[in-house]
Amino acid sequence: MSSQGCSLLGCGVDDDDDREFDLDDYEGSVARWCRGCGDHAVLTAVERLLTAAQLPPEDTLFVSGIGCASRFPHYLKTYGFHGIHGRALPVATGAKMRRPDLHVFVVMGDGDCCSIGAGHWIHAIRYNMDMVVMLLDNGIYGLTKNQTSPTTPKAFPSNTQPRGSYLDPIDPMSATLGVTNASFVAQTADWVPAHLYATLEAAQAHRGFSFVRVLQRCPQFSARIFEELVRQPDRIELLVHPDGVRVPALESIYKNVREHDPSDLDAARQLAASGERFRLGVLFHDPSKPRLEETRQQRSLTAQQKIERLNEELDRYAV
Ligand code: SF4
């Protein structure tokens, strides 16, 4: 069935609890990413998640910046905002502030989030507003055809640094875990669809800023970064816990399995900082962290209170 009303614009919604949404209600235009691009897998997982969660399309918003991954909103039938480079998070936080009832998703690439958008990223983590934030990290600027990004591994060549990236990359997991009020931090990979889905499901269930870094293959420009990880499961470690993500079927493929309590922030930071393996799972989860939209709401004034405050202020200038 198709969506009804236009809740986002507040112009009349049919609140029909009997509606059932299927994949058709979320699938937008045909995705134009390259063949083999990891973005396709993320889109599939997201469409599945929206269907399973039965999120009304008219109450769901996808916000993106600029980059290959940022074409995401075009491929869904929810509301979408394909914004400007690095500014997905300010748009999403503004929408959530005004309409806390919306289901907000943000899709960013590594250049988008960790370079030009890094300032917004840091503050959005601290605001801890309820949204699912996906960093589709392919370690390169793909849309503009192969430039070094903040997450490009050291010595990996690109058009801008043909002899290899000069510096060690930013680690998005350590960076996120280092910010005050981080509440949900997870990592997954596009080529492990069961894990990808389970992680997004956990992120969507969390009330707060759910940050999910998806290791995302770009066969055009950074295939080498992920080839080894795909071919050598021993380089990956699954983090499992009843409060995290567990996909038992994967434990016969990935022999390195670690029980990790996601409430332990120090342990999460140590795991993120240790580069011995790539960890997939929920590194940190604290549902008790305050959310900006909630705390603001609690302090917001009624219309009558606003008038009284305004009159008090004006009275100060009475002569
Ligand atoms: Fe995907 Fe890379 Fe193609 Fe962009 S350039 S669509 S990231 S494969």
Side-chain angles (χ1 to χ4, degrees):
M1 68 162 297
S2 57
S3 58
Q4 301 172 30
C6 54
S7 167
L8 195 67
L9 304 177
C11 54
V13 186
D14 295 326
D15 269 336
D16 182 357
D17 289 338
D18 296 334
R19 289 184 298 161
E20 268 185 33
F21 302 104
D22 55 32
L23 265 182
D24 281 347
D25 293 307
Y26 301 106
E27 281 175 349
S29 57
V30 176
R32 289 169 52 199
W33 293 305
C34 306
R35 279 176 68 180
C37 175
D39 291 353
H40 292 285
V42 183
L43 179 63
T44 302
V46 165
E47 286 168 348
R48 268 186 68 204
L49 178 68
L50 296 174
T51 312
Q54 288 288 291
L55 301 187
E58 74 275 9
D59 290 340
T60 305
L61 172 66
F62 278 77
V63 183
S64 65
I66 293 294
C68 293
S70 295
R71 294 196 56 79
F72 224 88
H74 297 273
Y75 306 143
L76 291 163
K77 277 195 208 134
T78 63
Y79 279 95
F81 191 106
H82 186 176
I84 52 174
H85 203 201
R87 312 298 178 222
L89 284 167
V91 172
T93 51
K96 189 70 186 178
M97 190 66 83
R98 182 68 187 87
R99 286 289 307 275
D101 57 308
L102 292 180
H103 307 286
V104 177
F105 293 78
V106 178
V107 186
M108 298 180 289
D110 37 297
D112 210 21
C113 174
C114 309
S115 183
I116 189 168
H120 300 303
W121 174 34
I122 302 297
H123 291 286
I125 297 164
R126 188 171 69 92
Y127 297 162
N128 191 33
M129 299 181 81
D130 184 18
M131 57 183 74
V132 176
V133 178
M134 290 171 270
L135 165 60
L136 274 57
D137 188 355
N138 56 20
I140 206 82
Y141 285 91
L143 186 73
T144 45
K145 309 286 179 263
N146 194 22
Q147 289 97 30
T148 297
S149 92
T151 63
T152 304
K154 191 174 182 185
F156 188 84
S158 72
N159 284 344
T160 43
Q161 295 181 11
R163 292 183 189 166
S165 173
Y166 310 133
L167 300 172
D168 282 323
I170 281 181
D171 171 17
M173 307 308 285
S174 293
T176 306
L177 288 163
V179 178
T180 311
N181 216 30
S183 66
F184 183 100
V185 186
Q187 181 160 263
T188 185
D190 79 68
W191 62 92
V192 195
H195 194 274
L196 172 64
Y197 180 78
T199 307
L200 292 180
E201 196 179 34
Q204 207 266 323
H206 171 63
R207 297 278 73 86
F209 189 90
S210 304
F211 181 80
V212 180
R213 181 196 189 195
V214 184
L215 304 173
Q216 179 247 312
R217 290 168 299 172
C218 168
Q220 283 292 328
F221 301 119
S222 62
R224 258 200 312 122
I225 296 177
F226 301 105
E227 252 167 30
E228 253 186 63
L229 282 182
V230 176
R231 289 192 187 152
Q232 297 177 22
D234 285 356
R235 291 207 49 207
I236 285 181
E237 183 172 75
L238 298 179
L239 302 179
V240 298
H241 193 272
D243 297 333
V245 165
R246 180 154 224 163
V247 187
L250 293 176
E251 289 167 30
S252 56
I253 302 166
Y254 296 97
K255 306 288 185 205
N256 300 312
V257 178
R258 180 190 292 259
E259 193 82 22
H260 166 66
D261 179 355
S263 68
D264 187 340
L265 181 58
D266 288 338
R269 285 175 173 159
Q270 279 170 18
L271 287 173
S274 144
E276 88 202 53
R277 291 203 175 91
F278 276 85
R279 267 104 197 185
L280 303 188
V282 180
L283 276 94
F284 182 62
H285 183 202
D286 181 350
S288 70
K289 293 283 168 104
R291 291 185 273 125
L292 183 63
E293 73 271 32
E294 206 179 37
T295 47
R296 260 182 67 117
Q297 241 173 9
Q298 283 161 2
R299 289 186 192 176
S300 61
L301 304 173
T302 64
Q304 184 57 37
Q305 286 169 325
K306 281 179 190 166
I307 291 168
E308 284 167 9
R309 290 275 174 96
L310 195 59
N311 281 334
E312 274 172 29
E313 279 302 300
L314 292 173
D315 287 346
R316 289 174 55 206
Y317 300 100
V319 286

